[in-house]
Amino acid sequence: MHIDLYERIWMWAAGVLIVLFLGAIVATAAAQAIQPPGHVETLDPTTIASHPEFGTPTLVTRPDGSVVVPVVAGMFSFTPDPIELPAHMPVTFRVTSADVVHGFQIVGTNVNVMAIPGYVTQVTVTFETPGEHTIACNEYCGLMHHAMVGKVVVK
Ligand code: CUA
C-alpha cells in the first residue's frame, strides 16, 4: 500500500508524541514519586465537629518519631494552623473538608491533594530542611478562596 511521504511523516510524529507523553507519565511516577491515591476512607462531614480525630485536629507523634496530622479544610482556613513539624521524619497528613472541595498544597513540596467532604485524603512526606511552607487552597471554593492559606513550620 502506498502512503504519501507527508502522511508517513505525520504518522511517525504522532507516534513519537504518544511515546513522549507516556514517557513523561512514567518518568514523573518513577523519579518524583507522583502516584495516584491508593487510600479510601470515608466519614460523615456533618459530624466533623464531634469527630474523635477531626473534631479538634491535633498532631500525634508515633513511638518511632513519625507524625500524623489531621487537617480540616473549611471556608476559608485550615485547622490546625500553623502546623509545626519535625524535619527528617515521615509526616502523614490526613485531610478532609468540613464543607466544599478545597485544595491542600504545600508549596515547595510535592504534597498537593484535594480535601473532599466525606473523604479522608492521606499523604506522607518527609521534610528534609527546616523552614516555612505556605499551604495553599488550589480548588476554587468561594469568595475568599484566594485568601485561604495556612502555614507549615518545619523545625
Ligand atoms: Cu478553599 Cu479555595
Side-chain angles (χ1 to χ4, degrees):
M1 186 175 73
H2 172 74
I3 301 174
D4 189 72
L5 173 64
Y6 285 119
E7 183 128 21
R8 236 180 305 155
I9 290 172
W10 281 111
M11 283 163 66
W12 275 106
V16 167
L17 279 181
I18 290 168
V19 170
L20 208 71
F21 292 157
L22 289 177
I25 294 172
V26 172
T28 51
Q32 297 176 9
I34 296 171
Q35 310 159 353
H39 177 86
V40 176
E41 187 180 337
T42 57
L43 55 78
D44 181 355
T46 60
T47 61
I48 276 191
S50 58
H51 191 276
E53 182 181 5
F54 293 100
T56 47
T58 313
L59 185 148
V60 176
T61 304
R62 292 189 181 123
D64 65 359
S66 64
V67 171
V68 180
V69 192
V71 178
V72 177
M75 292 172 181
F76 295 95
S77 62
F78 298 96
T79 314
D81 180 37
I83 303 173
E84 293 192 359
L85 299 169
H88 315 298
M89 276 295 166
V91 176
T92 300
F93 293 96
R94 290 169 49 75
V95 186
T96 192
S97 168
D99 37 49
V100 300
V101 172
H102 297 277
F104 182 81
Q105 176 181 15
I106 303 179
V107 178
T109 73
N110 68 352
V111 175
N112 186 0
V113 297
M114 289 167 84
I116 305 167
Y119 290 86
V120 177
T121 308
Q122 189 166 297
V123 60
T124 301
V125 65
T126 301
F127 295 93
E128 295 300 348
T129 48
E132 290 190 6
H133 296 273
T134 299
I135 304 171
C137 173
N138 54 18
E139 299 283 341
Y140 184 72
C141 54
L143 276 181
M144 293 299 288
H145 159 72
H146 64 282
M148 183 166 171
V149 289
K151 197 197 279 180
V152 166
V153 182
V154 182
K155 294 191 164 168

